Amino acid sequence: MAGAKKPPTKKLFYEAVFKHSVEAIVILDRQGFIAEVNPAASKLLGATAKKLIGKSFNNFLKFPTNWQQLAERQEIQIEQLKGKRKAIECDWVPDLLPNYNLLILRDIAGVGSYTIAQLNLHHQRVELFSEVTLKIRRSLQLSEILETAVTEVQRILQADRVLIYQVFANGTGMPIEEAVFPQFKPILGVQFPEEVFPADYRELYSKGRVKALSDVHDPDAGLAECLIEFMDEWSVKAKLVVPILQSFKSTTETNEHLWGLLIAHQCRGTRQWTDFEQELMQQLADQIGIALSQGELLENLEEVVAERTAKLRQEIGERTKAEAALRRSEEQLRLIANGLPVLIAYVDDKQHYRFNNQAYQTWLGLSPPEIYDRHLLEVHGVEEYRQISQYIDAALGGKTITYERDLLLQDGCVHSLNITYIPHFHKRVIQGFFALTSDISDRKAIERMKDEFISVVSHELRTPLTSIHSSLKILATGKLGSLSSGGERMLKIADEQTERLVHLVNNVLDLQRIQSGKITMNKQACQAQELMFEAVQAMKSLAQEQDIQLSVRPSKFIVWADRDYILQTLTNLVSNAIKFSPLNSTVVLSAANNFPQKHNSRQRSSSYITFAVKDRGQGIPQDELETIFERFQQVDSSDSRKKGGTGLGLAICRQIVEGHGGRIWAESCLERGSTFYFTLPKIQLESDRHD
Ligand code: ADP
């Protein structure tokens, strides 16, 4: 009877379990020697129980190297006696029985390889995904991006048809890109009917819905009849649809809108879409969305670039025109500059020629390119440079300066040249100067001829005039018989006019002599006050005739002067003052150490004395204050008749004063009077020095 059969003992049970356990069981004694192993353990350690028992477990341990370091549960590495290594998970139960420890070992190599396979797959997918993403993103052209997307999805999924469906603003849409195996009908460009893609579908997709249908005919799929018909028309058996959402940024937030759909069709039969495939499609659709936004940015950028390019073209056009106009005007200027019979140059602040016109070639035999960038000293030579350097310094000091020079030119003749330097400033800093040189030889020759003519005529006139004058004087005495009153009147007129003529001739000859440098000034120390008194004395009767008072301000100064010539100057100024003063007014003479404000720049007051002759007469217009010092210049041409002048007096005065190294000028106020000033070198007195 079965019931009479004795049940196996516990020991038997334990032995059976020990023998058949899939886990390897090793019992170590206190010193770590193997006391017992089950078959699984001998398989794991690669030796029979017989060979293993009595061996130290340390012989098999690779990591850790000592059994005493074992933790409760850990991964260890063992090496079989045959040298094969294994990764093992180990449970350590110390003191299983007094002096004995239990080790339970599990081979985890299988578990590990499973995880690695999974990792590999994951890795492959990541690589695949990044490869496709890279391909999509590499292009900036939308059409290229879409084309890459469909071909890549088709390649990876091996779907029969992959398409990109664009949703338009009005809700309709159509496939704009497609990759389809040749045996199936392309759907590119076919407008989907409204009912196939209704508004609520659009709504769901814009919220990110992914639709994976393994069988479009499956009633559980719940597709509308019309949609199934549409699917049949294009032989679609299964489909996977993911939305392409495009994000756009407003100033405050980022929004997304449904740009289109990425669709995969399976036509050969139904198809279960794996999670990986769905995920891949979704991730690619996201990438397309990003690429679209970037593409749009680029398009904007392109628009901006196109706009800017057009503008630039226009600007370039305008600039080219302006440049052409500038070139033309430069050419014209050059033409004018080269055509003019004068030397025109520009010299920089380092005294290098920067521009010369063609006249330099004909006048000096120096072509403009030859002179360009060369120093004035190098071009003109040491001697010439020494003579003109004071004018160059003045021009570079900011003064417009004019001087005359006689120069031997290319034609072998000496020419009289008039040279003007005009300083050139930029932002108040001197940059250089313009030099204009004109040939005044003809004018000079005419002037010389005129002077000679006047001189000759005057000389020739003086002798007969003197005798006419003396004869008239004798007639006037009445010694040769008395005249009728009419005759006396005529005689008086003849005498006055002859006197004027003598005066004029004398003046002309004076001026001529002084100008030609034929006379020498006999300079000596003269008391300024004495000179003024003498002049007043000489003019006394004329002043009395006009009821004019002459007054001299006291002065202690001594000047270095030719007494006679300075007296001539003073008497001329006083006689003018009397002539142009109203009756009963006073003419004042003075000599001072200080200059009037306007004219104190050049001569230091300490070395010159300024004489002044001041009247209360009619005054001189401002624009004539300079010209009256030129020959035959009168404010009013009737002056000569009314006042009996010649228009030479002031010209003579100027020659005399300049012959002393001084200057002469006038200041005036119409109807209020004029003051004539001139300066003479002063002799320093002991008392001055102590002042
Ligand atoms: P003139 O012999 O004609 O006086 P000047 O050379 O001495 O010749 O003077 C030239 C001109 O200057 C005069 O004709 C006159 O118009 C003007 N002039 C000279 N001195 C005075 C003055 N004190 N007041 C007004 N005008 C004057």
Side-chain angles (χ1 to χ4, degrees), residues 503 507 572-573 575-581 613 615 617-620 628-630 632-636 639-640 643-653 668 673-676:
H503 186 59
N507 270 351
N572 190 44
L573 295 181
S575 111
N576 279 350
I578 295 170
K579 272 195 284 180
F580 294 98
S581 283
V613 179
D615 65 51
Q618 65 193 51
I620 305 157
I628 50 171
F629 290 95
E630 282 163 25
F632 303 111
Q633 292 295 331
Q634 291 173 317
V635 174
D636 182 346
D639 281 353
S640 63
K643 316 280 182 185
T646 59
L648 284 172
L650 289 178
I652 294 172
C653 290
S668 184
S674 317
T675 306
F676 281 77

Side-chain angles (χ1 to χ4, degrees), residues 450-460 508-509 512:
K450 192 177 78 189
D451 290 347
E452 272 163 31
F453 173 75
I454 291 171
S455 157
V456 170
V457 170
S458 305
H459 267 293
E460 295 305 313
V508 169
L509 290 171
Q512 203 63 39

